Amino acid sequence: MVDRQGLGPVLTVPNLISFLRLLGVPLFLYLFLATDATGWAITVLVVGGLSDWVDGFAARRLKQVSRLGELLDPLADRLYILATLFALTFEDVVPWWFTIALIAREAVMVLCLVVLRILGHGPPPVHYVGKTATAILLMGFPMMLLAKYSEWAHPWAQPSGWALLWWGIVLYWVAAVFYFIQAGLHVRAGRAAAAS
């Protein structure tokens, strides 16, 4: 099935995976905040993190790349990160300063996208540094949960979790710089094409 708004094929395997990843966000929040099923909440996070690359791999392997998929994948990534971040901050698993650092990065990205939209441009393509940072953060969050709620795992899970979170947040900001550069080049190319 193909849509009529330039989003490409809708009912594809990669898009189905992305939709399932999106459904994992409220499921994680329910399991973690409304029940005592912390183990299942960690499982949902791990599956969501591991499946981050699956939709892109499936799209390339099955030749089902679509504009909708290119939009759904980063949306699922951001929702996973923000939902997990707020839940973990609420439960004192990660400190507020870490949350603010990640939210500030997202605010910068939203501002960049708004400016691009005003100038008549779409979002820049997802950069591999951003995908790597997302994957690392999605590995670090369940590790921090494991460290808080498991006594036997705490000695190794907490330092491992913090190492992943630090690595992830640095790469997350580096990716933001790359997106700014890409956006600037995109705008300049558009102006040059319009002037010629």
Side-chain angles (χ1 to χ4, degrees):
M1 179 179 179
V2 179
D3 74 335
R4 303 297 181 193
Q5 298 178 358
L7 295 178
V10 174
L11 298 179
T12 64
V13 172
N15 289 349
L16 177 61
I17 295 170
S18 294
F19 280 123
L20 290 175
R21 291 186 66 225
L22 286 171
L23 291 176
V25 175
L27 178 60
F28 163 74
L29 290 174
Y30 170 75
L31 291 170
F32 185 59
L33 297 176
T35 72
D36 292 326
T38 307
W40 284 110
I42 293 172
T43 302
V44 170
L45 263 190
V46 170
V47 171
L50 291 176
S51 63
D52 179 33
W53 66 274
V54 175
D55 48 7
F57 176 79
R60 292 186 296 273
R61 190 66 182 261
L62 300 173
K63 296 182 180 175
Q64 294 181 341
V65 176
S66 67
R67 183 61 184 149
L68 178 61
E70 291 174 350
L71 295 172
L72 282 177
D73 184 41
L75 174 63
D77 291 344
R78 282 195 167 85
L79 286 178
Y80 255 103
I81 286 176
L82 291 175
T84 307
L85 185 64
F86 280 116
L88 269 56
T89 305
F90 181 77
E91 291 292 324
D92 293 322
V93 178
V94 296
W96 276 102
W97 60 263
F98 188 86
T99 305
I100 291 169
L102 270 179
I103 292 174
R105 189 270 190 186
E106 291 300 331
V108 166
M109 289 300 298
V110 168
L111 181 61
C112 177
L113 293 175
V114 168
V115 170
L116 282 173
R117 178 64 67 185
I118 290 171
L119 295 174
H121 300 280
V126 175
H127 198 279
Y128 75 93
V129 174
K131 291 294 292 179
T132 303
T134 299
I136 292 170
L137 288 170
L138 290 176
M139 287 188 290
F141 288 140
M143 196 72 74
M144 294 298 288
L145 268 176
L146 193 60
K148 183 172 178 70
Y149 294 101
S150 174
E151 289 185 15
W152 69 266
H154 186 273
W156 57 268
Q158 187 171 44
S160 300
W162 271 119
L164 289 167
L165 291 186
W166 272 111
W167 189 19
I169 198 169
V170 168
L171 285 180
Y172 217 44
W173 274 99
V174 169
V177 173
F178 286 162
Y179 286 131
F180 265 113
I181 294 171
Q182 283 180 313
L185 292 174
H186 194 56
V187 169
R188 282 191 203 124
R191 286 177 177 168
S196 61

